[in-house]
Amino acid sequence: MTRVSRRRLLGTGALTAAGAAVSAAAAPSAAARTAPLGTDVVIVGAGLAGLTAARDLVAAGRSVLVLEARERPGGRVYGLPLGDGTTSEGGAEFIGPTQDRIAALAKDMGVATFATYNEGKNVYYRDGKRSLYATDGVLGAVPPDWGVLDLEVALLKLGDMIKEVPVGEPWKAAKAEEWDAQTFHTWSRSNALSGGARFLMDAFASATLSVRSQEISLLYLLNYAASAGNESTPGTIDRLIGTRGGAQESRFAGGSQEVPVRLAAKLGDIVRYDAPVRSIVTGSGGVTVTADGLTVSAKRVVVAMSPAVAGRIDYSPALPASRAQLMQRYPMGSIAKFVAVYDTPFWRADGLTGQAIADSGAIDATFDNSPPDGSRGILMGFMNQANVRGLDGASADRVRAAGLDSFTRLFGDRAALPKITAFQRWDNETWSGGGPVGVAPPGVLTAFGPALRAPCGPIHWAGTETSGYWTGYMDGAVRSGERVAREVDAAL
Ligand SMILES: Cc1cc2nc3c(=O)[nH]c(=O)nc-3n(C[C@H](O)[C@H](O)[C@H](O)COP(=O)(O)OP(=O)(O)OC[C@H]3O[C@@H](n4cnc5c(N)ncnc54)[C@H](O)[C@@H]3O)c2cc1C
């Protein structure tokens, strides 16, 4: 990772590579507050959205400064240190078909992909019983009774509704009000009667969005699935949840963090770290953006992060209520990853993919996170929603015991003896507030949805939550950065 020292970042009155004049001060001074209009665009956030926007605006000849709160780029894309000099994906990890924009960016950065390990059977753990199912769909997980039919009928109904949702503008669906007035939980209880089908629909919400199905509107869920495609291929639930042919199909060689790390390195000194933005003041000539120890004036600002985290910045004058209240109503899920490293991927010899879903234990979904050559085995478990909140305040030992208890239940006794464990939770991260994505409870998309992307004067919004296709994913973040760069360039 490119690390820029804090001292270097705070060089007073530095002129950046792209020509942005910046005033700096350890404590805000009068000079800092009256910095001249020096840069065309300030971008707040060096996640994939902000970095992509910076790349495109620099290419368009604009002067740009990126202010990032953390000491690293990538935001929700992060290589979790394993303590032995290697990392495992602690945040975003997978890439799949139709995710064209993250694929193009990774190619530009020279980051290759490889297939997620997917040979054998998946583990299904429910009501204290462990069983195996074929990897070609969730239907194989339901006991072969009428529950299969029940789930199949519900999925067909969902599929029909998904086709009715205009991608990125779900509030324009003919039945938007009706679908936004109910939770996904309400809908699943009215449309599936078997325990197996209901469990799998809840597991779908938990594994995909890290929330309970009670927390999201049906319209939000339908839009999320509609967005899992591209301009020529409609989105489907199968593409969201699938490994082969779906969003979990491939991984990045060296870890997904290589993509933002290399992009940030290419952008160089225009990316400033340890610079959390506290306020954005709009005036007659543009905006004044104040970060810790740094004040910059610009013609336009891009806020590139989730609505919930954007809501922590102080805006003056106050934003229109549609935007201000959207930021109060678009919460993040609770998500963590627990990783265990073994000498070998022993589950492969047992005919298992390393993928599992479970209704109990701290981990409710797993993947094989081993390196491409299988030279050692890495199991990754998602701790989602109430499971991770159940570990609030837990010691590292308790977290480790909870994670290994789940792995042992799912993959046998050998899972109890890893060489290394590591844990990354996102809901306690100040600059993420949770993950993988902001979600909309009932009533939010229809009343506030258009405010996701609508600029507020010189303030523009990016971040995966604003994307039409692949909202919630790295691909959506890249698409949002490309869209906002076009928007800002046109406005300038
Ligand atoms: C555990 C987990 C697993 C995931 N798995 C996948 C996956 O397999 N595949 C996939 O495609 N996606 C996955 N995602 C989602 C993916 O990570 C996100 O969609 C994407 O990274 C969002 O990028 P972004 O640029 O929109 O936002 P972010 O990555 O959140 O970037 C926002 C940036 O803004 C910074 N920031 C916040 N506040 C301020 C401030 N006031 N001042 C300055 N900077 C600030 C943050 O530090 C951050 O760097 C996962 C996410 C998580 C958490």
Side-chain angles (χ1 to χ4, degrees), residues 13-41:
L15 198 68
T16 68
V22 177
S23 290
S29 67
R33 286 194 202 100
T34 56
L37 266 184
T39 186
D40 291 329
V41 190

Side-chain angles (χ1 to χ4, degrees), residues 44-50 67-70 72-77 90-95 99 247-248 275-278 304-306 309 313 335-337 382 426 431-432 434-437 462-465 472-475 477 480:
V44 188
L48 282 171
L67 299 178
E68 166 56 49
R70 290 178 164 106
R72 61 167 180 88
R76 282 171 266 176
V77 184
E93 173 168 350
F94 302 105
I95 173 175
Q99 298 186 348
Q248 285 65 236
V277 166
R278 306 293 179 182
M305 60 193 68
S306 70
V309 180
I313 298 173
I335 186 169
K337 277 185 170 182
F382 283 107
W426 291 89
W431 306 114
S432 296
V437 59
T464 194
E465 286 79 5
Y473 289 77
M474 292 182 276
D475 190 67
S480 79

